[in-house]
Amino acid sequence: MPKIRRPSHAHSWYTGEGDALDAEINKWKAAVTPLPGLPARAIIGPHAGYSYCGHVMAHAYAHINPANFKRVFLLGPSHHVFSRKCLLSSQTHYETPLGSMEIDQEVYAQLRDSGKFDSMSQDVDEDEHSLELHTPYIVHTMRGRDFKLVPIMVGALTTDAEAAYGSLLGPYLDDPANLFVVSSDFCHWGSRFSYTFYDKSQGQIWESIKWLDETGMKIIESAEPSKFASYLEQYKNTICGRHPIGVFLNMLQHSSLRHRISFTKYDQSSKCTTPSHSSVSYAAA
C-alpha cells in the first residue's frame, strides 16, 4: 500500500488549489527567456513561500527540457532536525496539488546499501519545506513524462562528509536521464537570523547583501568546493542550502560530465536600509 508524503505546506507557503497553482507557475515561466546553450542537467533554486520566490524558481526550471529525464534527484537542507548524515524518505510517493510522484525505490536501495544514509519519519519529512517547495515545480515541469523522484535531505555535513557524499552521488550525474535539483535560499539577514554582516563600502545594507551573495554565487560558478567552503568560513553567509550545494560541487569532481554553472536570477524579499530590517535572498542557476 502506498505511503504518501502529504503537501503539508500547501495553502500557506503556496496555493493548494491545483488550477490556481498551475496558472501561477505558467505565468512565472512565461516571463522567462531561457539562456541559449545546452539544457540544464542540474538546477539550484530557492524554497521560500511562492509569493517571495516563485518567480525566481521559474528562472531555474525554464532551462529544463523534460523530455531528457526519467529521474529527478532532489537535494535540500534540514531546517528542523540535526543530523551529520543525509536522510531518505520513508514514504513511497510525494503528493502535490498538481499530482503525485513515485519515489525511485531501486535507487533508494542502492543508496541505503552504502550505509551512509539514514531514514526520516513521515513527520520529519512533512515538517521540512526545502524539498516540498520544489515538488509542484517538478510535477509541472515533468508533466506527461514517466519519471521517478529521489528526495534526499542533506544534514549538517562536515566538508569531508560533503566530499564523501559527492563521491557517492557523482556517478549518477553521468546518466543523462538524471536531473538534479538543489534547494537553497541565500543570505538570511537581520537580527532575527543572528546575522548582520554589513560592508558599508558596498552602499546600503541591501547592496552589501547583494555583493555578499554574488561573491558566493561566482565561487559556486567556479565549481570548486574548497573555495566555497573558504567563502563560508570567511563570511559565515547564512545560505541555508550550503550543504546540498557543497555536496553538488563535490559531485562534479566525481563525474565525467562537462559542466558550466550559470546563475540566471537574483532577488531579495525586501531591501534592507536600517539594522532593524530583515530579508532573505533568492537565486536561480
Side-chain angles (χ1 to χ4, degrees):
M1 184 174 181
K3 294 188 289 184
I4 310 296
R5 185 212 181 276
R6 298 165 297 183
S8 51
H9 294 78
H11 301 287
S12 54
W13 291 56
Y14 58 95
T15 180
E17 302 300 327
D19 289 345
L21 181 58
D22 184 71
E24 273 192 328
I25 296 176
N26 279 333
K27 177 188 69 175
W28 287 322
K29 280 186 173 180
V32 178
T33 301
L35 297 179
L38 294 176
R41 290 286 306 279
I43 63 171
I44 300 172
H47 53 240
Y50 279 15
S51 62
Y52 294 103
C53 76
H55 66 293
V56 177
M57 297 175 76
H59 283 263
Y61 282 91
H63 289 86
I64 294 170
N65 180 353
N68 293 341
F69 303 111
K70 295 183 178 179
R71 186 179 296 110
V72 180
F73 286 75
L74 174 58
L75 280 62
S78 173
H79 288 84
H80 307 295
V81 173
F82 180 83
S83 175
R84 289 295 189 187
K85 300 177 76 173
C86 289
L87 298 91
L88 305 178
S89 177
S90 59
Q91 306 304 289
T92 61
H93 294 75
Y94 268 38
E95 186 68 48
T96 83
L98 300 180
S100 67
M101 294 176 285
E102 182 182 354
I103 292 177
D104 193 323
Q105 298 299 330
E106 181 178 347
V107 172
Y108 257 25
Q110 295 169 3
L111 298 180
R112 288 194 177 99
D113 285 346
S114 72
K116 295 184 180 297
F117 292 82
D118 285 341
S119 292
M120 51 179 155
S121 68
Q122 182 173 358
D123 286 344
V124 168
D125 202 344
E126 292 181 351
D127 283 346
E128 180 54 55
H129 64 275
S130 73
L131 301 175
E132 179 183 334
L133 268 290
H134 278 270
T135 58
Y137 256 100
I138 293 171
V139 172
H140 186 279
T141 301
M142 298 296 294
R143 180 174 290 155
R145 304 288 173 179
D146 183 18
F147 76 100
K148 292 183 179 179
L149 183 71
V150 184
I152 301 173
M153 184 186 291
V154 180
L157 306 182
T158 64
T159 53
D160 286 344
E162 289 175 359
Y165 282 105
S167 175
L168 193 155
L169 292 170
Y172 288 98
L173 267 176
D174 291 336
D175 185 343
N178 291 339
L179 171 69
F180 279 80
V181 175
V182 180
S183 176
S184 182
D185 295 336
F186 274 70
C187 184
H188 298 61
W189 195 94
S191 57
R192 71 189 182 103
F193 299 116
S194 300
Y195 187 76
T196 54
F197 172 88
Y198 180 23
D199 182 347
K200 293 183 179 179
S201 70
Q202 300 300 324
Q204 296 191 62
I205 294 172
W206 70 269
E207 293 172 305
S208 171
I209 297 169
K210 182 180 180 182
W211 171 84
L212 176 68
D213 282 330
E214 290 183 342
T215 298
M217 290 155 63
K218 289 175 183 175
I219 290 171
I220 293 170
E221 288 179 335
S222 77
E224 296 188 43
S226 61
K227 289 186 177 180
F228 184 56
S230 296
Y231 161 82
L232 293 172
E233 179 65 27
Q234 179 178 357
Y235 293 107
K236 314 295 184 188
N237 192 0
T238 48
I239 300 173
C240 57
R242 58 193 175 275
H243 297 301
I245 292 172
V247 169
F248 178 72
L249 295 180
N250 278 282
M251 287 170 55
L252 293 172
Q253 312 303 309
H254 298 278
S255 167
S256 61
L257 181 70
R258 294 181 61 189
H259 61 270
R260 182 187 69 193
I261 303 174
S262 298
F263 279 88
T264 58
K265 182 66 175 178
Y266 175 80
D267 206 353
Q268 298 171 352
S269 60
S270 62
K271 286 183 164 51
C272 298
T273 56
T274 72
S276 64
H277 290 170
S278 66
S279 71
V280 179
S281 305
Y282 313 114

